[in-house]
Each structure stands twice: as structure tokens, then as C-alpha cells.
């Protein structure tokens, strides 16, 4: 294998970052989109929620993204993913796809004995298979250009079984994301494509059955060693590094962003 040049990776800054799950107003995908927009990155924002996408696109343009395209997608549906990514690729003036950040996901608080196969599979279809669908669809273009970054949201639940709100199906779906990210890192090693998982916990969004307010918020804060909840801005800045010009020497790793809830 010939030696790759770190400087060559600066090209990533001009390529489009695809962010799934960007519609949720207080969500992680939105935080990621805004952090990347502040860096002047071209964006493709994907989500089920079309109205939320329009607001997200406006916010990203205002924050500094030079090119924002949106596409409705159901990440669980391979044909829908293919159509959405094709729309992004065919958008006039859109730079090629350089990065994928998978933030679309659902929680699942169902107790184990009440879980049906359908319920279990739905969680895996969105959280795990959704990541696979997106990564498989964008990878050929990244391999062709010899440069790409794939980042996916796992969860502390993958490591400790969860219990904050979600239960076993969610933990299994996120453990699957981490395995996929590690396996893919090895399969594409040396091609210029790198991968990463982020395992957050206690980020202040609405995924845990609604807003964290009042006593429930106090409980979450009390359980978080650093003494507060995390922000989507902090998560966005971590992604910004991973998909930026200096993020190319890390691959296959899981980054914990959990306020010390689980260390190691
Ligand atoms: N907030 C946290 O503390 C936390 C902790 C661990 C992991 N995560 C993970 O981070 C990711 C984002 O979570 P969040 O807190 O921003 O949640 P959120 O509910 O605010 O946002 C999730 C987004 O995903 C979209 N979505 C759901 N199903 C979809 C589908 N089938 N196709 C396309 N889009 C779909 C929703 O429309 C929404 O915009 C999720 O994968 C979640 O599991 C969050």
C-alpha cells in the first residue's frame, strides 16, 4: 500500500455532509447540522419529517452552510434511502458526498416480556439497518473519490444495557451499530474512508419520552457525574472534528459523550 497524505484529506471540507435525523428541532441531528453549517460545510439533510427538514435547512443556511439540500427518507426502507441519496447526488451544484452522519433513530422503552418480534425488529430496522442502508448507499462514491467519513449514533445503552428510558431492543440495536462501524472500518481500511460511532447519554433532547423537565430532569442531572445534561452543540462539535480535515487518523472507534455516566 502506498503512503497516504494527511494533507490530501483537506478536500473533505468542500464535500457534502449527509445528516440523517436532522428535522427534530431540539435533536442531535439538528445540532450536528448546525455545527457543520458554522464550519461552512455543504449539507444534505434527511429525515421522515418534511416540515421539520424545511426549518432545519433555513437554520443551516443562516448558520453559514453554502449549500443545503433536503430529502424525505425512511431510513428503514432501502428503496427510500436510494431515492433520497439519488436526489442529493442529482441536485444541481451540490458537491459530491464526503461524509455521512447517521442520527435518525428511535427509543424503545418496552419491557422485555412485553416485546413482540415486530416491535423488536422495528427498532433494529431504524437504528441498525437504517445505518447499514445509508452507509452502503454512499460508500461506492466515497471509495471512488478515495475519501469519506461515516459516523453513526450509538448509545451508552450499547455498553451498559440502557435503562435510562430505553430497554433491551434499543441496547441491541445500538450494539449492532457499533459492530457495524468496527467491521466497516476494517473492510475499508486504506481506502481513505474512515468510520466512527458516538455513544451519547443524557443529551438534552426529546427522545426520552418528551422534554426532560422538573423532577425528571433533576434525576437525570443527579445521575450524571459532571453535574449537568449534555448539549447537541457539544455533540455537533465532536462530529465536526470527526468529519473534518483532521478526523482521518481515527477509524472504527466509539466516542463516549456521556458526562461520565460510564467511563472507559
Ligand atoms: N439524546 C440522547 O441523550 C441520546 C443518547 C443516546 C443515543 N442517542 C441517539 O442519537 C440519535 C438522535 O437522537 P435524538 O435525541 O436527537 O432524538 P430525536 O427524537 O430528537 O430525533 C430523532 C430524529 O430521527 C428521525 N427519524 C426517526 N425515525 C426515522 C426514520 N425511520 N427515517 C428517517 N428519520 C427518522 C425523527 O424524525 C427525528 O428527527 C438517535 O439515534 C438516538 O438513539 C441519543
Amino acid at each position: 500500500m502506498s503512503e497516504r497524505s494527511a494533507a490530501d484529506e483537506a478536500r473533505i471540507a468542500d464535500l457534502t455532509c449527509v445528516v440523517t435525523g436532522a428535522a427534530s428541532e431540539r435533536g442531535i441531528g439538528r445540532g450536528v447540522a448546525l455545527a457543520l453549517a458554522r464550519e461552512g460545510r455543504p449539507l444534505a439533510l434527511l429525515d421522515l419529517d418534511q416540515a421539520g427538514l424545511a426549518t432545519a435547512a433555513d437554520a443551516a443556511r443562516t448558520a453559514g452552510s453554502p449549500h443545503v439540500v433536503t430529502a424525505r427518507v425512511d431510513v428503514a426502507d432501502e428503496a427510500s434511502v436510494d431515492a433520497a441519496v439519488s436526489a442529493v447526488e442529482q441536485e444541481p451544484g451540490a458537491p459530491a458526498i464526503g461524509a455521512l452522519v447517521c442520527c435518525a433513530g428511535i427509543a424503545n422503552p418496552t419491557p422485555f416480556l412485553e416485546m413482540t418480534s415486530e416491535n423488536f425488529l422495528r427498532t433494529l430496522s431504524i437504528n441498525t439497518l437504517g445505518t447499514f442502508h445509508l452507509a452502503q448507499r454512499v460508500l461506492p462514491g466515497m471509495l471512488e473519490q478515495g475519501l469519506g467519513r461515516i459516523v453513526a449514533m450509538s448509545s451508552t445503552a450499547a455498553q451498559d444495557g440502557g435503562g435510562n428510558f430505553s430497554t433491551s431492543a434499543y441496547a441491541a440495536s445500538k450494539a449492532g451499530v457499533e459492530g457495524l462501524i468496527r467491521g466497516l472500518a476494517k473492510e475499508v481500511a486504506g481506502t481513505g474512508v474512515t468510520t466512527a460511532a458516538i455513544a451519547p447519554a443524557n443529551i438534552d433532547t426529546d427522545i426520552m419520552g418528551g422534554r426532560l423537565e422538573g423532577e425528571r430532569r433533576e434525576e437525570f442531572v443527579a445521575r450524571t457525574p459532571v453535574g449537568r445534561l449534555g448539549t447537541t452543540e457539544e455533540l455537533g462539535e465532536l462530529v465536526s472534528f470527526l468529519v473534518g480535515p483532521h478526523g482521518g487518523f481515527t477509524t472504527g472507534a466509539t466516542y463516549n459523550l456521556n458526562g461520565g455516566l460510564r467511563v472507559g
Side-chain angles (χ1 to χ4, degrees):
M1 194 196 303
S2 58
E3 185 170 346
R4 297 184 60 83
S5 151
D8 203 32
E9 299 188 2
R11 289 184 290 141
I12 196 90
D14 298 321
L15 301 179
T16 296
C17 301
V18 175
V19 182
T20 73
S24 176
E25 197 181 341
R26 300 180 65 252
I28 285 173
R30 182 72 71 96
V32 167
L34 293 180
L36 296 175
R38 287 193 294 274
E39 302 270 318
R41 303 289 297 263
L43 294 173
L45 308 180
L46 273 52
D47 204 291
L48 262 182
D49 168 7
Q50 204 137 22
L53 278 179
T55 317
D58 285 345
R61 286 187 195 101
T62 306
S65 176
H67 200 282
V68 185
V69 32
T70 64
R72 187 179 183 277
V73 74
D74 177 356
V75 298
D77 177 351
E78 192 172 9
S80 170
V81 169
D82 182 41
V85 176
S86 296
V88 171
E89 288 171 335
Q90 284 154 24
E91 176 79 13
I97 294 171
L100 166 69
V101 188
C102 294
C103 303
I106 56 165
N108 186 346
T110 313
F112 187 77
L113 287 177
E114 292 166 29
M115 183 92 61
T116 60
S117 319
E118 288 76 18
N119 179 318
F120 188 86
L121 274 176
R122 181 174 139 72
T123 310
L124 261 76
S125 298
I126 295 173
N127 294 355
T128 322
L129 201 59
T131 303
F132 163 73
H133 287 152
L134 264 301
Q136 195 182 52
R137 178 61 182 77
V138 301
L139 184 62
M142 292 178 172
L143 292 174
E144 203 174 312
Q145 70 203 9
L147 186 61
R149 309 266 207 265
I150 295 175
V151 178
M153 290 310 129
S154 174
S155 167
T156 305
Q159 305 153 3
D160 74 358
N164 253 352
F165 177 68
S166 281
T167 54
S168 55
Y170 180 79
S173 75
K174 294 301 189 178
V177 168
E178 289 191 19
L180 187 154
I181 285 297
R182 289 185 196 118
L184 182 56
K186 289 192 170 180
E187 283 196 48
V188 299
T191 64
V193 180
T194 56
T195 73
I198 298 179
N202 297 359
I203 308 293
D204 189 10
T205 73
D206 300 330
I207 200 173
M208 285 166 287
R211 257 180 204 249
L212 290 175
E213 289 173 324
E215 262 179 46
R216 194 150 175 259
R217 185 182 183 95
E218 283 168 24
E219 279 167 29
F220 270 83
V221 170
R223 280 206 302 267
T224 312
V226 304
R228 66 169 172 85
L229 301 181
T231 68
T232 59
E233 191 178 345
E234 288 168 316
L235 202 145
E237 291 300 323
L238 173 58
V239 170
S240 203
F241 160 71
L242 290 171
V243 305
H246 300 106
F249 197 59
T250 173
T251 191
T254 297
Y255 289 79
N256 291 342
L257 198 81
N258 61 25
L261 192 66
R262 185 183 177 282
V263 294

